[in-house]
Amino acid sequence: MNRRKLIRAALGAAPLIPAAIAQEVSRRTNGLPRLTIKDVKVITTSAGGNYRWVFLKIITSEPGLHGIGSGNNQYQVKAVIAALEEHLKPWLIGKDPDRIEDLWQAAQMKTYWRNGPVNNNVLAAMDMALWDIKGKRAGMPVYDLLGGKAHDAVALYDHQGGRTKEACLESLQKSLESGYRHVRIQFGQGGYGGGGFIPAGEGNRPEGGYKGSAFDEEQYVDAIPPVFEYLRAKAGFKPKLLHDVHSHMSGPNAVELARRLQPAQMYFVEDILPPEQIAWYKNIRQICSTPQAIGEVFSHPYEIMPLITERLIDFIRCRIAAMGGITPMRKLVALCELYGVKTAFQEGGENDPVNQLAAYHLDMSTSAFGIQEENHFPPVVHDLFPGMAEIRKGYLYDSGKPGLGLDLNEEIAAKYPLGQIRGGGGYPTDRTLDGTVVKP
Ligand code: MG
């Protein structure tokens, strides 16, 4: 008999002999039998779109009890798949899934060289699945295992923007009307860095060199603050406004942009600097109080720790799947709480519902929660993940089911295999007029 039937039976919804009920009650109240990891499955899917998703399903010795974890890495998915199949799976089978901390530590050390995106994706996939199993076993959502709800739901920020400031205002109003209180506004053409791009073929360029759309830092520093000045003049100071610089600035321009955005009273400015130049946050702090968020491309907890302990940033933007899962992140979250820094976990467009829920459970359980990035998924993804989180009026809600709260329909996943990855599938590269690479 599976656990759902047993629970139903215990509630009186289905007949069950009293001895079996007594045995089940005893099992749940007098200690749980030892589990083992019976099998491990690596499941990949495009979910009918351009996603390159990889999940780990850990199957236990208890019939029907399994966990799902995300190893999300859009740009090096094949490396994650190989590492899970060839290096983690043979090591993990037969181990005790209850010992999450021990398994995480041992799995991290077994690669000898540790941290970095692929290693952390592997750890995260294992770790999320183990927390999912433990939650199901306890009959509790993961946030209950982490200390219980610290809020009623997880507030999200919306993504908006436009090619003109008038279009930015219109999109902001649309978000506010749909219930969001926090809205990220991007400007101009060309994706991240928009407002700072010189159109393809224009500008004075070296002979025979780069011809594409070219990023110019000073143009960006001039273009962005007037957009937020306009939005404040028209929409007032009630909406919480955010902006993502996507690491496109070098030090002095980052300081100047933060200073010029001060009058707009931003909720935060994201990734105003790349991870290679985080020492400049000290200079930003000396000149203005524009709140700073960073961490999206971090994959090493020790990179971000000094920014927290020296109070040089206000929000950590890490992706749970890139940082090694719930186990290392709950420690960073505790550090944030102690130092007055908040969470703003990253949920970019290629993210998946498992990683989204891992972030959600951490957010739900901590008073260091600030905001989470929204992530809309097409209908097929809702069929693929029964029990996935839902957005209603700017808030994210879980299914209320134990564990992470969702499952993965393997038949639907198999219908949408990973497509051909052209050119290796890397993140697009921005360049300046003279062809220099811009940090993304
Ligand atoms: Mg970002």
Side-chain angles (χ1 to χ4, degrees), residues 184 192 244 246 270-271 296 317 346:
R184 188 192 76 174
Y192 291 113
D244 188 356
H246 230 261
E270 176 183 347
D271 290 339
E296 177 171 332
R317 286 278 299 138
Q346 194 262 359

